[in-house]
């Protein structure tokens, strides 16, 4: 059992803290947002993440998990301190590390005895070095510490199971002591642990996210070629994925990737590379294809209706992917803005993300379910592949729509079935 503090209770911090408590450690989750901490103390979840609430409740009840705004007090009580604060993008795409720096200073000032400070947030390569210098500059004389990097690979919507059953754990350390603490901490998961230097661990994170984004843009580009030639992207992806060196995962063509990780991490990585003197053109093309993919999808809707001006579009799915209420950098935002700009009326439905979207897009009509969104609409558009959309009564949808048109950005329906039902079914990379 280790005593741990996790600074920052966003997706990463909250999931990491509660899962580490579930592994038997004593964890304090710290955040300077008083409202959020008060909420968590009442066992209310600030985010929708499957399985999280149960883990939080169980570990609070067992006395292994607590929440506080008091970083000063938490530091001396914790041997291991994870930094999981935000690293939002600056205007030029670079990651803003001012919060990380501020937290390093605060941690340093409260340190007594040995502490291991672990970067958990996604940070540019060489941040560990900066963190070490910052802590060294503010720590009391004689206090020993180590800095380590332990990037997370959690996906929103499956973050708890990703934590408990990861493909690998990456640990970047400089000392034997730091290595021992972190390997012991993750031992109960019984998964491969790769131990590297700090820079390599930091780079593994950015390189992995960029590679995954590249895989998505690649398949999206191929979907365009499918449309130009009459090939079927689903079959092409299947045939490619059967090659173990390529693999099936992340070969789903769609409306482009979104979320708070890929767009931000790619921009930050391109920027770091530029600063290091390398022009990462490949990743710039990945970004461009992703932007085009959203624009092409908007065009598909417009083409399906000839003109969208004055027409009503029923739209299903607002979150950037299923099983989350997160709408940050969601493709739905750009697509809806495009439709509204061109004079369409938009009726939208999402199982979890509507409350968040209401704050951003006020000119949208929010519906109680998919059927209400379809009712008297001129076309139905699918942006996020929530499983409930796959099970819709399509006969009923057809009756509710003004025209039997579905524009599907996630290829969720069978082509033959849609033909049989009499839909004009427009999707990605399929005829
Ligand atoms: C991503 C990574 O997958 C995690 O490993 C990483 O820890 C996380 O970023 C992070 O850096 O914090 P996440 O953004 O939650 O996780 O979601 P993904 O499941 O990776 O999906 C990202 C986007 O790609 C979504 O918009 C999704 O719709 C899109 N996508 C994914 C596709 O368009 N096609 C695919 O085949 C897969």
């Amino acid at each position: 059992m280790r005593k741990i503090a996790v600074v920052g209770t966003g997706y990463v911090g909250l999931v990491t803290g509660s899962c580490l408590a579930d592994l038997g450690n004593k964890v304090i989750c710290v955040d300077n947002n008083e409202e959020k901490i008060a909420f968590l103390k009442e066992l209310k979840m600030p985010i929708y993440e499957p399985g999280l609430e149960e883990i939080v409740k169980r570990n609070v009840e067992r006395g292994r998990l607590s929440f506080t705004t008091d970083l000063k007090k938490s530091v001396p009580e914790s041997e291991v301190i994870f930094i999981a604060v935000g690293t939002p993008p600056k205007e030029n795409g670079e990651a803003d590390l001012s919060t990380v720096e501020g937290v390093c200073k605060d941690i340093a000032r409260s340190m007594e005895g040995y502490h291991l400070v672990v970067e958990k947030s996604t940070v540019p390569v060489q941040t560990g070095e900066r963190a070490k210098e910052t802590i060294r500059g503010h720590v009391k004389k004689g206090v020993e510490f180590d800095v380590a990097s332990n990037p997370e690979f959690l996906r929103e919507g499956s973050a708890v199971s990703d934590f408990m059953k990861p493909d690998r754990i990456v640990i970047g350390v400089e000392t034997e002591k730091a290595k021992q603490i972190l390997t012991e901490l993750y031992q109960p998961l019984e998964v491969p642990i790769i131990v590297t230097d700090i820079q390599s661990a930091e780079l593994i994170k950015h390189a992995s996210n960029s590679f995954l984004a590249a895989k998505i843009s690649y398949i999206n580009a191929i979907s365009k070629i499918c449309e130009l030639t009459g090939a079927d992207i689903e079959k092409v992806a299947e045939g490619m994925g059967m090659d173990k060196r390529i693999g099936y995962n992340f070969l789903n063509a769609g409306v482009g990737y979104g979320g708070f990780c890929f767009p931000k991490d790619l921009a930050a990585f391109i920027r770091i590379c530029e600063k290091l003197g390398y022009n990462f053109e490949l990743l710039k093309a990945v970004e461009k294809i992703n932007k085009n993919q959203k624009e092409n999808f908007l065009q598909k809707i417009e083409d399906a209706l000839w003109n969208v001006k004055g027409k009503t579009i029923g739209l299903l799915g607002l979150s950037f992917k299923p099983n989350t209420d997160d709408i940050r950098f969601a493709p739905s935002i750009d697509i809806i803005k495009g439709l509204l700009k061109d004079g369409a009326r938009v009726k939208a439905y999402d199982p979890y993300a509507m409350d968040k979207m209401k704050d951003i897009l006020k000119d949208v009509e929010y519906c109680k379910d998919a059927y209400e969104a379809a009712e008297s609409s001129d076309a139905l558009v699918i942006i996020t592949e929530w499983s409930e959309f796959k099970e819709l009564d399509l006969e009923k949808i057809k009756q509710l729509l003004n025209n039997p048109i579905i524009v599907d950005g996630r290829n969720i329906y069978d082509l033959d079935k849609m033909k049989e039902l009499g839909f004009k079914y427009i999707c990605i990379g399929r005829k």
Side-chain angles (χ1 to χ4, degrees), residues 152-154 156 205 209 250 252 258 261 320-321 410:
E152 55 82 22
F153 301 97
L154 312 175
E156 288 181 24
K205 171 69 194 202
N209 270 8
F250 276 70
N252 296 314
C261 302
F320 80 98
K321 65 174 199 173
R410 297 291 181 176

Side-chain angles (χ1 to χ4, degrees), residues 37 76 143 183 212 248 356 360 406:
I37 291 297
V143 168
T183 43
L212 291 168
Y248 292 107
K356 287 194 173 158
I360 302 182
I406 295 188

